[in-house]
Amino acid sequence: MVVRQRHILRRPLTLALAAALALPAVAAAQQSDEKAKDLDKVVVTGSLIPQTQVETFVPVTIISAEDIQARGFNNVAEVLQKSSFATGGVQNNQSSASFTQGAETLSLFGLSASYVKYLIDGRPMANYPALYNGSDVFNNISGIPVELVERIEILPGGQSSLYGSDAIAGVVNIILKKNVDGSVLSARIGAFDQGGGKNGRLSFATSLSNADGRWNTLLGVQAEKADPVWAHQRDLTAQFNPDAYNGAPALASRDWAIFDELNGGYLFLDPANCANVTGGFDGTVGKRTRAGSGDYCGSFQTPGYRTLKNEKEGAQVYAHSTFELTDLAQAYADVLVSHERVKYNIGSGYQWWGTSVKWGAFYDPNLDTLVNLQRAFTPEDMGGWENGMSENRSTSYAVTLGVNGTLGEDSNWDYDVGLTRTQYKLTETDLNRLSSIDDYFQQKVLGEQQGWDPIFDAYPVFTPDYAAFYKLMSPADFYSFMTTTKSHSRTYDNMLRAQFTNGALFSLPGGDAGAAIAVEAGTQGWAYTPDALLLNGDIWGTKAVSGKGQRSRYAVTGELRLPVWEQLTVSASARYDGFRAAGRTVDKPTYSIGLEYRPFESLLLRGKYGTAFKAPTLADQFQGVSGFYGYSVDYYNCALLGFDAGEVADCPQQYADLQYEGEQSGNPDLKPINATVWSYGVVWAPTAKFSLSADYHHWDIRNEVALQNVDQLMRDEANCRLGTLDINSGTCQAALAQVTRAANGDVQKIFLSKVNVAQETLDAVTVDANYRQDLGAWGALTLAGSWTRNLKHEIQTYPTDPVVDALTDPYWSTDAKYKANASASWNKDRWTTTVYANYLGPTPNYRATLDPAGYAFAGAGRLGSYTTVNASVNFDATDALKLSFLVNNLGNRIPDMDVRSYPGTSGAPYNSSNFDILGRAYYLEARWSFGKK
C-alpha cells in the first residue's frame, strides 16, 4: 500500500511487545540498542487504521514464520490447532467416515468451528464446499503454503463490527510474504518413529523487479507429499481393545455372522468351521465366540485397516505484485492457487453386506426363525485394501486486483479499492456398493425366494447355501457389484471493496485521531451435487447431502480511533451487513467500543464491548431434503434388553450397529446467530525484555442453529423414553419427533432439521508472557508462554431445556477447561535451539460421556493432563545456508490412558477429537538463500 509513513516515538511498552511478539528485525536491533526507535505505522488485525501500537484495546497473538519453523509445525492447521485458544475438539483425519475427512479446521474456546473468520492478507478465505458434520459451512485450513507465511495473527473474541459474519469466536489473519531478499529454496523431509506418514516438502520464493524499481513481484511455489498412516501401524489401533472396561475381553469383529432375530444370539452354520475364510484380513480370521450370543467367524485385527492420517499431495502457487502508477498511486495483484489430492480409507466397519438393509430379515424354514446374514469385505476380496481408498481432489484460488494510494499530495486520506474473487472446487471419489449387491448374494447364497414367512407374512423365505456364505471371493466378483461415485461441489465469493483511511483526521490532546470507512458489495454461491447414483437409489446403504444457492451481499463499515489524551484512547466501530437470497433479505448491524488506558509507560489497561453475528449460510438455507444412511446405536432397544449405554457391545447386532435411514434439510427462514461480546485486560511491560498480558473474554450467543449429533440424539431419545430425561422438555419433544419408530419399536427413519433455538454463554481467561535475556558470551534466551482457561460454558439447545454446564458435564462436552503452550529458545552464534511444549488440561474419560449421570455413571472419571514436547536445532552453516533437525512429540506420548474405559469392541480407545496417536516424528530441513541484493 502506498501510504506516507508517519514516524512516532514508540514507548517502552510497545518496544517490549514488538520484541516479544517475534518481530525479528526489532528484536535483533534491541540486542545492541534498547533505546526507542522511530517505527512506521502498521495495520494490526483488529483495526483498519494503521497505528504504531502493537497492543491495542484487543489482544492479538502473533506467530511469526520463525516461530512456526522453530516449533516444528508442519502446516498452518497445526499452528492454529496447537494454539492455547483452541480448547475445543474437532473432527479430523482420524475421524472415520466423517463428511469432511479430507479437511482440517479448529474450534476456538470450544465454540463451533464455523464461528472463526479466516482471512488471508485481510481478505476472507473461500469456504470449503463440503459441510462439516454434514451440516455446517466452514474453512479448510490445510491448503495454505506454510513456507510462504510471514506471520499468523489470532484475534480472540467477536469482531463482526469490522469483519462481518462468522467472526464470533475470533479472527485468524494469515499474512503471506510480500518480498524476499533474492531467492530462497527450502526442502524438508520427515517420517514417524512408528511407521507411516513419510513426507516431503519443497518450496521456492523469489523477488523480481524492473530496473527503476516501479514494478516488484514476489513469486512463490510450494509442493508437498505425504504417505498415509494406517491404524495397523499403531499398537493402540491395530486391534480391538484388549484392556476393556471391567476386564472384559477384546471382541473380534463379526465378519461372517448369522443372527437369530427371534431368539437372539448367533447361529453358527459353517460346515468348514471358518476354514474357508481364515485367509481374510491377512490370515487373522478364525472361529470366535461372544459369551451369551454364540459363534461366528471374525478377526481381532480389522480396526487396523483404516487410515489415521491422510495420504496427501498438494501444490500452491502464490504471487504478489505491485506497480507504482504515480508517486501517490500503486496498482497491485495477489494470486493464490492451491491444489490438493487427499486419500484415506474409512475402514472395514463401513465395507460390508447384510440382508437387513433390503429385507429387514428373512425366514429360513429349516431353522424356523427369522435370520439376518452379515458379511464384511476383506483386503483379499478387494485385491488389496489400498484399492478401497477414497479420494478428494480440490482446487481453490483467490485473485485480487486493486489500486491503493493517497488521495492527494496534501491529503491525509489513503484509499484501497480492490476486486477479489475466490473459488473452491471439490471432487469426492468413493468406492460404493451398488444395489445389485443383493442380487449377487441372492444368486450365490440365498437362492430363489420361496414366498413369505408364516409368522408375520412380511419377510421373504430363503433356504440359503451357508457353505457358500462362508467363503472369500475373487476381486472380480467383488468389483462386479462395486462402482466409483464422483460428487462435485463448489463455493465462490466475489467482492468489490473500497476502503478510505485517515490516520490524522484531526488533532486531540493525545495525538492524531484516525478514521476508516469501507464499503463492500458482492455475490456468494454454494452448490453440492452428489453423484446421480447416490440420489436415485442405485447405491446400497449410502445416500448424500445435496443443495445449492446463491445470494448478493453488501456491507458498510466505519471505525474511529480517538486519543482523547496521552493516556486514554477510545476506539469505536460499526458495520451493517445485508444478504439477499430468494427474494428475502437478512441483515444485521453490529458495533464495538474499545478503551486503552496507559496510566504510565509500561502499563496498558484495555477493554471492549460489542456485538457479533453469523449470517445463515447458503447450506443452512438451501440444503435440499437429502437422504442419507448412517450407523448408530439404538440405545432404547438395547436398554429394554438390559444393556445400558456402557454395555452396547453385548447388545444384539441389529441394535448395537443400527443402520438407519436419515433425512435432513435446510431452512430458508433461518435468522442470524447473534452474540454480545466483551473483554477487558491488562498488559504490563516493565522493560523492553519482558511483557505480561491477561484478558477476560465473554460471549453471550443467541439464536444458534441446532442440529443434533445422531448418536447424541439416539441417547437423548432413549433417555427420554426411559424417564432419565424429562419427557416434557424441549430436547425430549424434539428427539421423539425426529426418531420415527415402527409399531414393533424398530427405528424407521431419523430426521434432522435446522432451527434458531439454541444459545450458549462462555467466559474465558487468556494469559501471555514473553521474556528475552541477553546472556553475553552465552548468547540469548527467549521465553514465551500462552495459557487459556475456560471459566464458564453453558449451553441450552431448546428453550424449555435445562441449561447444561459443558465444562463439568461430560455427557455434553469432552473439551478441556484449559490449554497452554510454552517455548524456550537459546541462540548463540550460528546455533538456535528451541523446545516447545503443548499442554492440554484434564478431560473426561469415555465412560463419563455415555450417560446423563456424567461422572456419577459407573466407571466414569477424569483423565489427567496431557503434554507433548517438540524440539529443534537450527544451524547457520553459512550466511546463505540454514540446516535444521526437528523432533516432534519428543517423548512419544500416545493417548493410551483411557483404554480401560472403552469396551472390547473399540478399535480406537482414545478421544480422537482431543488427541492424536501419531507419536514421535523426525524432520530434516535445509534453507538456501541466494541472489541477495
Side-chain angles (χ1 to χ4, degrees):
M1 178 184 294
V2 179
V3 179
R4 294 177 301 158
Q5 307 298 337
R6 303 172 181 90
H7 302 281
I8 298 180
L9 186 67
R10 284 188 183 266
R11 303 176 181 184
L13 171 62
T14 304
L15 278 169
L17 295 172
L21 293 172
L23 299 177
V26 179
Q30 288 175 355
Q31 293 181 45
S32 58
D33 183 5
E34 295 181 2
K35 295 181 180 180
K37 306 293 183 186
D38 287 344
L39 296 176
D40 296 335
K41 288 188 175 184
V42 295
V43 176
V44 178
T45 303
S47 176
L48 304 179
I49 305 168
Q51 52 203 284
T52 58
Q53 302 293 343
V54 175
E55 288 283 4
T56 63
F57 67 96
V58 288
V60 180
T61 294
I62 301 176
I63 304 170
S64 69
E66 290 77 12
D67 290 333
I68 294 172
Q69 190 277 334
R71 296 175 184 180
F73 299 131
N74 290 292
N75 48 55
V76 170
E78 276 191 21
V79 176
L80 297 174
Q81 290 165 356
K82 297 298 184 182
S83 160
S84 68
F85 303 144
T87 59
V90 292
Q91 295 177 357
N92 50 57
N93 292 184
Q94 303 172 100
S95 306
S96 281
S98 72
F99 288 87
T100 53
Q101 193 167 333
E104 294 280 0
T105 189
L106 83 155
S107 164
L108 293 183
F109 301 98
L111 293 171
S112 168
S114 67
Y115 286 0
V116 182
K117 185 78 169 186
Y118 293 94
L119 310 172
I120 296 182
D121 291 329
R123 306 180 191 104
M125 284 181 60
N127 287 324
Y128 193 65
L131 304 181
Y132 183 78
N133 209 27
S135 64
D136 213 351
V137 171
F138 74 112
N139 291 102
N140 177 23
I141 51 178
S142 72
I144 302 169
V146 67
E147 285 287 349
L148 302 174
V149 171
E150 178 68 28
R151 66 185 186 276
I152 298 174
E153 299 177 353
I154 306 174
L155 176 60
Q159 311 296 334
S160 292
S161 63
L162 289 180
Y163 300 109
S165 178
D166 307 340
I168 292 180
V171 173
V172 174
N173 193 7
I174 300 160
I175 312 297
L176 300 179
K177 295 178 179 178
K178 301 299 179 288
N179 59 74
V180 294
D181 188 1
S183 300
V184 179
L185 177 66
S186 67
R188 176 181 173 122
I189 58 172
F192 289 93
D193 188 52
Q194 298 178 60
K198 291 181 180 179
N199 58 86
R201 186 174 71 214
L202 188 66
S203 71
F204 175 75
T206 188
S207 288
L208 306 171
S209 61
N210 64 349
D212 60 9
R214 294 178 63 192
W215 170 74
N216 292 277
T217 294
L218 176 121
L219 179 64
V221 294
Q222 176 178 298
E224 59 184 321
K225 179 177 172 57
D227 293 339
V229 175
W230 289 84
H232 64 75
Q233 295 173 313
R234 299 295 181 269
D235 292 341
L236 195 62
T237 53
Q239 71 287 307
F240 288 104
N241 183 17
D243 300 308
Y245 177 68
N246 269 353
L251 298 176
S253 54
R254 293 169 289 204
D255 301 317
W256 281 266
I258 302 175
F259 303 93
D260 185 337
E261 301 296 352
L262 291 183
N263 304 305
Y266 315 140
L267 300 168
F268 188 72
L269 304 173
D270 184 7
N273 216 33
C274 299
N276 292 327
V277 296
T278 53
F281 294 105
D282 291 319
T284 62
V285 175
K287 185 178 179 181
R288 313 297 180 190
T289 300
R290 291 197 182 187
S293 295
D295 298 332
Y296 59 95
C297 301
S299 169
F300 288 101
Q301 270 65 51
T302 52
Y305 295 90
R306 70 181 182 96
T307 51
L308 299 171
K309 184 176 177 60
N310 297 340
E311 177 183 333
K312 180 180 178 181
E313 293 179 0
Q316 295 85 34
V317 177
Y318 166 67
H320 169 74
S321 187
T322 61
F323 182 75
E324 303 296 334
L325 299 171
T326 69
D327 290 342
L328 299 176
Q330 177 190 78
Y332 64 89
D334 289 299
V335 177
L336 176 62
V337 180
S338 177
H339 177 75
E340 286 190 318
R341 184 178 71 91
V342 173
K343 298 182 73 175
Y344 54 88
N345 199 302
I346 59 177
S348 63
Y350 298 90
Q351 296 285 2
W352 63 281
W353 169 82
T355 52
S356 62
V357 173
K358 180 176 181 178
W359 295 287
F362 68 90
Y363 178 77
D364 185 336
N366 296 327
L367 302 173
D368 191 27
T369 188
L370 292 178
V371 174
N372 264 318
L373 307 183
Q374 176 178 290
R375 198 258 200 227
F377 299 122
T378 71
E380 291 73 22
D381 295 328
M382 297 182 179
W385 201 252
E386 293 79 2
N387 294 329
M389 300 280 274
S390 295
E391 180 182 274
N392 292 354
R393 286 181 180 265
S394 63
T395 300
S396 64
Y397 67 79
V399 178
T400 299
L401 303 174
V403 178
N404 60 24
T406 302
L407 289 179
E409 188 66 38
D410 298 322
S411 174
N412 290 324
W413 284 98
D414 301 321
Y415 68 89
D416 188 334
V417 179
L419 176 64
T420 299
R421 161 82 176 185
T422 66
Q423 180 172 280
Y424 208 131
K425 285 187 174 183
L426 172 68
T427 298
E428 297 165 284
T429 303
D430 298 290
L431 185 65
N432 275 304
R433 297 155 291 186
L434 288 164
S435 297
S436 60
I437 190 173
D438 290 318
D439 298 333
Y440 173 88
F441 280 99
Q442 186 171 354
Q443 178 186 357
K444 299 287 186 179
V445 176
L446 297 175
E448 293 294 327
Q449 182 178 339
Q450 300 160 9
W452 300 97
D453 75 283
I455 304 172
F456 302 103
D457 194 30
Y459 298 95
V461 176
F462 296 113
T463 55
D465 178 356
Y466 290 108
F469 173 67
Y470 291 98
K471 284 185 178 180
L472 294 171
M473 66 177 62
S474 68
D477 277 3
F478 175 76
Y479 291 107
S480 71
F481 53 75
M482 302 296 291
T483 190
T484 297
T485 58
K486 290 183 180 291
S487 296
H488 303 278
S489 55
R490 77 166 182 143
T491 61
Y492 69 84
D493 193 319
N494 302 312
M495 181 179 70
L496 177 63
R497 188 175 195 276
Q499 177 176 317
F500 300 88
T501 308
N502 190 327
L505 186 64
F506 52 84
S507 294
L508 288 171
D512 289 337
I517 301 171
V519 293
E520 299 175 8
T523 57
Q524 299 173 320
W526 167 78
Y528 195 97
T529 308
D531 193 298
L533 295 174
L534 292 165
L535 298 178
N536 62 19
D538 286 341
I539 296 299
W540 188 92
T542 303
K543 291 190 177 181
V545 174
S546 64
K548 66 177 181 178
Q550 59 184 12
R551 66 188 178 194
S552 59
R553 57 169 292 265
Y554 47 89
V556 179
T557 307
E559 181 184 8
L560 279 174
R561 182 173 174 82
L562 305 173
V564 179
W565 67 80
E566 188 174 356
Q567 289 81 19
L568 178 66
T569 299
V570 178
S571 296
S573 60
R575 179 177 170 117
Y576 175 83
D577 284 270
F579 302 84
R580 185 163 183 79
R584 179 172 175 264
T585 298
V586 175
D587 58 354
K588 182 67 181 177
T590 52
Y591 67 89
S592 172
I593 299 174
L595 297 177
E596 304 165 39
Y597 177 57
R598 293 173 171 81
F600 44 89
E601 289 186 347
S602 61
L603 184 67
L604 166 64
L605 305 177
R606 61 189 177 192
K608 174 195 171 182
Y609 182 89
T611 57
F613 84 107
K614 175 178 171 61
T617 68
L618 290 168
D620 285 339
Q621 293 180 298
F622 298 110
Q623 181 177 325
V625 178
S626 304
F628 63 97
Y629 290 107
Y631 297 91
S632 186
V633 177
D634 187 343
Y635 292 98
Y636 176 64
N637 272 318
C638 285
L640 293 181
L641 295 173
F643 305 103
D644 67 22
E647 299 170 330
V648 294
D650 298 322
C651 185
Q653 169 74 11
Q654 69 266 36
Y655 302 131
D657 292 308
L658 170 72
Q659 183 181 37
Y660 65 87
E661 181 181 357
E663 285 187 348
Q664 61 183 8
S665 68
N667 182 351
D669 296 323
L670 287 174
K671 301 175 182 178
I673 299 170
N674 301 319
T676 300
V677 294
W678 50 263
S679 66
Y680 58 83
V682 58
V683 184
W684 181 50
T687 73
K689 298 177 180 178
F690 173 74
S691 70
L692 176 68
S693 66
D695 292 273
Y696 187 99
H697 308 269
H698 171 81
W699 290 263
D700 185 3
I701 308 172
R702 304 297 174 105
N703 281 354
E704 287 189 293
V705 177
L707 182 66
Q708 290 172 288
N709 175 277
V710 172
D711 186 71
Q712 184 73 52
L713 175 63
M714 295 301 291
R715 292 189 208 178
D716 291 343
E717 189 252 1
N719 286 310
C720 293
R721 291 182 181 276
L722 297 169
T724 308
L725 293 176
D726 181 4
I727 194 72
N728 296 312
S729 68
T731 290
C732 285
Q733 293 301 305
L736 295 175
Q738 290 173 256
V739 180
T740 303
R741 291 184 179 270
N744 65 357
D746 289 344
V747 174
Q748 290 183 315
K749 186 172 290 187
I750 299 175
F751 180 78
L752 306 177
S753 185
K754 302 179 180 182
V755 288
N756 292 107
V757 293
Q759 61 185 35
E760 61 183 312
T761 303
L762 175 68
D763 294 325
V765 170
T766 58
V767 177
D768 288 276
N770 298 275
Y771 177 70
R772 181 181 177 85
Q773 178 62 53
D774 188 352
L775 303 177
W778 292 93
L781 178 68
T782 302
L783 305 175
S786 179
W787 178 78
T788 295
R789 173 69 153 85
N790 284 358
L791 302 173
K792 173 184 176 182
H793 193 180
E794 295 182 343
I795 302 171
Q796 187 178 37
T797 305
Y798 290 89
T800 57
D801 284 358
V803 175
V804 173
D805 185 348
L807 296 184
T808 61
D809 191 339
Y811 182 70
W812 294 94
S813 173
T814 63
D815 293 344
K817 291 182 182 179
Y818 45 90
K819 188 175 182 181
N821 58 66
S823 68
S825 293
W826 174 61
N827 170 258
K828 185 180 186 302
D829 301 326
R830 295 181 177 272
W831 294 90
T832 301
T833 301
T834 299
V835 177
Y836 168 81
N838 191 268
Y839 170 89
L840 185 72
T843 53
N845 73 357
Y846 174 73
R847 296 281 302 179
T849 69
L850 295 177
D851 190 271
Y855 290 114
F857 187 61
R862 290 179 175 84
L863 305 176
S865 60
Y866 191 80
T867 303
T868 57
V869 177
N870 296 351
S872 68
V873 177
N874 296 286
F875 174 60
D876 295 337
T878 68
D879 291 341
L881 180 62
K882 178 179 179 179
L883 304 176
S884 304
F885 176 61
L886 308 96
V887 182
N888 287 1
N889 195 350
L890 188 65
N892 198 31
R893 285 297 310 273
I894 298 295
D896 56 0
M897 60 281 189
D898 194 24
V899 292
R900 287 181 171 82
S901 173
Y902 281 81
T905 52
S906 174
Y910 69 100
N911 188 332
S912 63
S913 295
N914 290 339
F915 311 101
D916 75 64
I917 198 174
L918 301 176
R920 186 187 295 119
Y922 303 95
Y923 302 94
L924 288 173
E925 188 174 280
R927 188 182 306 269
W928 179 39
S929 301
F930 57 95
K932 293 184 178 182
K933 298 177 182 178

